Amino acid sequence: MKSLIIANWKMNPSTEKEARELFETVKRGVKGVKNAEVVICPPFVYLPLFSGLTLGAQNVFFRIKGAFTGEVSALMLKDLKVKYVIVGHSEARFHLKETDETINRKIKSVLDAGLMPILCVGENKGEEKQNVIERQVAEALKGVPLNQAKNIVIAYEPVWAIGTGKNCSVEETMVSVLTIKKVISKLYKRELAEKIKVLYGGSVDGKNSGSYMKGAGVSGLLVGGNSLNAKDFIKIVKSVGFTRSDNF
Ligand code: PGA
């Protein structure tokens, strides 16, 4: 199965010119990578500019159309050939005051549109991580049927590791991955828990990326800061996805 390497550009870069340059450089750099799906999640406004790599959005509204000033729907994203949508990122939980309930509605809206949500979960510093993960996963998936749940990707992103340079240890990440899979198994069935893709995110760089893929039981990585430098991001992709030339 292909690993999933996701670039979360957040609110960067500031101009269309820089966005195009970054996208095209990454596209060239990851050409020939066989066993990783590379997903770029730029700000909404840049989505229509890009093709040639899988696209993801960084957020979505939970209603499909209507009088919701400033919002973007899952159908609009689908029309732009977006495949994945990040939902419940800790920055949206914090700055936009997203709750487990709104996140649940967003997950359903994304799934109903036929897109794949990337649900972000993770504890703040000082919080008991098992409880937080169990609650966030269970609440986000409330009422989601099994045939839709198979399209969900879950990213374990401890809040204290995001943008801090303090990445979570491989061992601790493994514990969180198992906790997530346990919840999925309880809510649905073991087969889904085995299949569901769980990613790690939080200060991933070209040095630590390979170790997560080898030792933490993850199916991929969610990369923030280090996805804004094409060279760094390409290095991360290549650390997990070998190229055609490596193979022959
Ligand atoms: P970071 O961000 O790689 O800059 O820590 C990850 C994320 O927020 O998804």
Side-chain angles (χ1 to χ4, degrees), residues 104 119 132-143 183 187:
N104 175 245
L119 167 67
V132 173
I133 293 172
E134 283 178 5
R135 191 200 76 235
Q136 289 180 340
V137 174
E139 293 290 317
L141 301 189
K142 229 181 214 168
V183 180
L187 291 174

Side-chain angles (χ1 to χ4, degrees), residues 14-244:
S14 299
T15 64
E16 178 184 328
K17 184 169 177 281
E18 291 168 286
R20 281 188 192 275
E21 270 168 24
L22 179 55
F23 186 87
E24 292 306 322
T25 313
V26 169
K27 192 163 95 179
R28 273 195 308 276
V30 302
K31 210 170 164 212
V33 169
K34 281 209 309 184
N35 63 341
E37 180 178 16
V38 178
V39 183
I40 307 292
C41 302
F44 290 132
V45 290
Y46 300 139
L47 282 168
L49 307 178
F50 301 149
S51 63
L53 287 174
T54 306
L55 293 177
Q58 297 175 17
N59 208 340
V60 68
F61 193 54
F62 49 73
R63 296 284 292 273
I64 242 31
K65 64 189 243 183
F68 304 106
T69 303
E71 300 297 339
V72 171
S73 79
L75 281 186
M76 294 170 187
L77 297 174
K78 188 180 185 180
D79 190 51
L80 293 179
K81 312 278 181 290
V82 163
K83 179 173 174 188
Y84 295 94
V85 184
I86 296 173
V87 178
H89 191 281
S90 61
E91 285 151 15
R93 290 180 194 258
F94 180 72
H95 296 291
L96 306 175
K97 305 280 175 281
E98 284 195 356
T99 62
D100 287 329
E101 194 205 334
T102 47
I103 290 162
N104 175 245
R105 294 180 73 183
K106 288 183 176 196
I107 294 273
K108 288 174 175 164
S109 178
V110 170
L111 289 167
D112 286 345
L115 305 181
M116 301 177 76
I118 300 164
L119 167 67
C120 298
V121 299
E123 78 286 359
N124 262 303
K125 209 175 180 61
E127 283 183 324
E128 214 276 287
K129 79 168 177 171
Q130 181 145 346
N131 289 342
V132 173
I133 293 172
E134 283 178 5
R135 191 200 76 235
Q136 289 180 340
V137 174
E139 293 290 317
L141 301 189
K142 229 181 214 168
V144 174
L146 175 65
N147 68 331
Q148 287 194 322
K150 63 180 192 326
N151 293 325
I152 295 172
V153 175
I154 302 180
Y156 171 59
E157 295 211 303
V159 182
W160 51 265
I162 295 178
T164 58
K166 295 189 189 117
N167 59 306
C168 186
S169 72
V170 168
E171 295 73 26
E172 279 302 311
T173 303
M174 166 78 108
V175 172
S176 302
V177 171
L178 291 176
T179 303
I180 291 168
K181 290 194 178 251
K182 208 176 73 202
V183 180
I184 296 297
S185 184
K186 217 160 88 188
L187 291 174
Y188 300 97
K189 49 183 187 174
R190 222 188 54 224
E191 288 84 340
L192 181 63
E194 280 161 10
K195 267 197 227 133
I196 202 157
K197 285 193 170 169
V198 181
L199 318 178
Y200 169 73
S203 297
V204 172
D205 60 27
K207 288 199 196 91
N208 60 35
S209 50
S211 62
Y212 288 107
M213 300 307 297
K214 279 186 214 108
V218 299
S219 304
L221 300 165
L222 181 46
V223 187
N226 286 311
S227 70
L228 292 171
N229 178 305
K231 219 171 122 198
D232 291 344
F233 185 65
I234 293 163
K235 190 171 168 199
I236 293 169
V237 172
K238 290 201 168 163
S239 74
V240 304
F242 40 73
T243 58
R244 239 175 275 280

